[in-house]
Amino acid sequence: MTTSDIAAWQTYFSVMAQVGATLAGLLFVGLTISLQHVLAARGYLSRAFSALFLQLEVLLIGLFGLLPGQPPEAVGIEFTIIGLVLFAGIRVFARNFPEDENSTVLGSRWLRFFRTALTMGGTLFPAASGIGLIAGWRYSLYLIVPGVVACVYQAIGYAWVFAVEIPRRAELKAGR
């Protein structure tokens, strides 16, 4: 892997940075719409943190990937640190704000497992890509793609939950 190999991904990194910033904004809109409900449920706080940090990861990987002239090892270190630090942060936040009886929207055991798997993929695939760059593996940047897909999938899903589903279910519960 060479610096020019990383430069070939410049358009992809640029789109990643734009998508990360845009989806983070969409999440803030959804959270604003449901703020009262989100604050009343510890599990929703955890989901909001996770969704925002996954988009932060997409943004950071895009921005670091765009820095010109970096050797692959430097990009690898950046991607590894970003993935591992955000994975740890999300897990610590989830431990401190677990699902509760108020965070019922998409709160079944299997959906929690699916969300956890997406979070792990979203953070650990970029970390694995970074390790591959450090090790000189030619195709390691391709490991970013499933990580970004996992992050974007979760962000869109959470935006829907916060903006539409939580308010809709609250209205149904109130009998409107």
Side-chain angles (χ1 to χ4, degrees):
M1 174 71 59
T2 66
T3 302
S4 63
D5 292 330
I6 294 172
W9 284 69
Q10 185 173 17
T11 302
Y12 185 78
F13 288 131
S14 177
V15 170
M16 279 181 59
Q18 293 170 24
V19 166
T22 301
L23 285 176
L26 180 62
L27 284 164
F28 273 111
V29 169
L31 287 168
T32 302
I33 290 170
S34 295
L35 188 58
Q36 174 186 345
H37 303 293
V38 171
L39 293 175
R42 294 169 55 101
Y44 292 152
L45 286 172
S46 177
R47 293 183 206 181
F49 182 86
S50 175
L52 288 170
F53 266 53
L54 289 172
Q55 292 318 298
L56 173 64
E57 179 184 45
V58 171
L59 173 63
L60 290 175
I61 288 173
L63 292 176
F64 280 106
L66 286 171
L67 290 174
Q70 290 190 97
E73 296 80 11
V75 177
I77 290 168
E78 293 160 358
F79 288 2
T80 302
I81 290 171
I82 290 168
L84 294 178
V85 167
L86 290 177
F87 174 77
I90 290 168
R91 295 307 310 150
V92 166
F93 203 91
R95 194 172 308 115
N96 289 312
F97 292 92
E99 296 285 330
D100 61 12
E101 66 279 351
N102 295 320
S103 52
T104 58
V105 175
L106 301 177
S108 73
R109 179 177 166 212
W110 290 108
L111 289 172
R112 285 193 309 268
F113 173 78
F114 184 65
R115 286 195 309 269
T116 300
L118 285 173
T119 299
M120 290 177 69
T123 54
L124 297 180
F125 271 110
S129 174
I131 292 167
L133 285 168
I134 294 166
W137 185 46
R138 180 169 172 79
Y139 299 105
S140 61
L141 284 176
Y142 286 96
L143 290 173
I144 291 173
V145 176
V148 170
V149 169
C151 291
V152 169
Y153 181 89
Q154 261 195 303
I156 291 172
Y158 283 141
W160 173 264
V161 167
F162 296 139
V164 176
E165 198 60 27
I166 291 173
R168 184 186 73 78
R169 291 191 189 190
E171 281 187 26
L172 287 174
K173 191 175 181 180
R176 292 183 187 170

